[in-house]
């Protein structure tokens, strides 16, 4: 059993049931519709929000307990999710499949991180969006959540270089306050990214 599966087996929601503030605000601002994919989504809080906003949402996570809680949260909110047990090391990315992909605090070693971001770039439909909030390399001293290992934290160049040919709608690196269950509490140092794939891709 992987550590995330064990962590999500508890009854309460480790990161709460409300969506990430950045994802919620940016999604509404962009007024997105269609097919959405939430990767490394855990217990489903962001996916349920997207479903409530009218998106058809697929959830990828490799913790069965997290997917079960995502479905439970969806039922409580009278929406449906498609949940899939996916290890991102083995993920199959279909080109031009999704109108929106979101990744909230999905942290992996750099090789897998870059492989995942490249998969995201390919899988977003022309004209579609990728939205993400993750911890920056400066997060560790804040002790408000996230990995305590530098190799799992995102550098700003990873977004800015890989998505240089996209229209970057929003990019931010700096301090925010987060109150997301007991897992993310307090002042944090994050990277926020919202990018649109060129329509002629």
């Amino acid at each position: 059993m992987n550590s995330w599966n064990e962590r999500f087996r508890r009854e309460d929601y480790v990161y709460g049931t409300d969506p990430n503030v950045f994802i919620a605000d940016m999604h509404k601002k962009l007024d997105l519709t269609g097919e959405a994919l939430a990767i490394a989504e855990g217990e489903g809080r962001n996916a349920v929000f997207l479903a409530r906003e009218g998106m058809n949402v697929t959830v990828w996570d490799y913790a069965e307990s997290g997917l079960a809680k995502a479905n439970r949260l969806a039922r409580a909110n009278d929406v449906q999710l498609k949940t899939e047990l996916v290890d991102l090391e083995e993920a199959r990315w279909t080109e031009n499949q999704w109108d929106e992909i979101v990744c909230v605090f999905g942290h992996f070693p750099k090789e897998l991180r870059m492989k995942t971001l490249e998969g995201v770039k390919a899988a977003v439909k022309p004209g579609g969006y990728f939205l993400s909030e993750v911890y920056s390399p400066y997060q560790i001293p804040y002790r408000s959540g996230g990995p305590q290992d530098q190799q799992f934290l995102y550098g700003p160049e990873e977004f800015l270089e890989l998505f240089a040919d996209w229209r970057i709608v929003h990019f931010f690196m700096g301090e925010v306050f987060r109150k997301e269950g007991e897992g993310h509490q307090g002042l944090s140092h994050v990277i926020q990214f919202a990018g649109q794939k060129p329509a002629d891709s």
Side-chain angles (χ1 to χ4, degrees):
M1 180 179 293
N2 67 60
S3 61
W4 288 103
N5 202 33
E6 184 65 33
R7 182 178 302 186
F8 293 145
R9 290 180 73 186
R10 53 193 276 183
E11 188 66 22
D12 63 331
Y13 283 73
V14 179
Y15 301 105
T17 56
D18 293 328
N20 172 266
V21 172
F22 169 68
I23 295 296
D25 289 349
M26 185 57 62
H27 175 87
K28 288 182 176 181
K29 184 181 296 185
L30 296 173
D31 194 26
L32 302 180
T33 60
E35 303 292 324
L37 173 67
I39 63 171
E41 172 60 8
E43 301 161 303
R45 61 196 178 99
N46 303 296
V48 166
F49 162 76
L50 295 176
R52 291 180 64 186
E53 290 293 305
M55 301 294 288
N56 299 316
V57 186
T58 297
V59 175
W60 284 3
D61 203 274
Y62 84 141
E64 291 184 18
S65 59
L67 295 177
K69 288 170 80 173
N71 281 319
R72 190 174 82 197
L73 185 61
R75 288 192 296 271
N77 284 270
D78 199 26
V79 296
Q80 289 188 330
L81 303 175
K82 181 180 180 182
T83 54
E84 299 180 353
L85 188 66
V86 175
D87 182 342
L88 289 173
E89 285 278 14
E90 302 169 359
R92 296 184 179 181
W93 298 93
T94 300
E95 192 169 349
N96 301 334
Q97 183 176 7
W98 306 100
D99 296 289
E100 177 183 18
I101 297 179
V102 301
C103 177
V104 179
F105 300 121
H107 290 268
F108 334 104
K110 184 165 185 177
E111 184 176 350
L112 176 56
R113 190 162 70 242
M114 298 312 296
K115 178 182 176 181
T116 299
L117 290 176
E118 287 166 1
V120 166
K121 186 176 182 182
V124 172
K125 292 179 183 178
Y129 288 84
F130 174 43
L131 310 182
S132 185
E133 181 172 276
V134 292
Y135 289 118
S136 85
Y138 303 101
Q139 168 62 14
I140 290 176
Y142 286 74
R143 302 285 181 178
S144 51
Q148 291 296 297
D149 185 338
Q150 195 73 36
Q151 71 158 328
F152 286 82
L153 300 172
Y154 290 72
E157 73 284 351
E158 296 175 12
F159 291 96
L160 296 175
E161 292 176 5
L162 184 60
F163 295 95
D165 57 337
W166 283 32
R167 183 173 75 96
I168 297 179
V169 177
H170 174 94
F171 182 85
F172 169 81
M173 183 170 75
E175 292 185 337
V176 298
F177 187 87
R178 288 290 173 258
K179 187 176 181 182
E180 301 179 334
E182 71 173 42
H184 297 153
Q185 283 285 337
L187 192 65
S188 308
H189 206 283
V190 304
I191 293 172
Q192 298 171 345
F193 177 84
Q196 183 183 31
K197 190 172 189 174
D200 57 357
S201 292

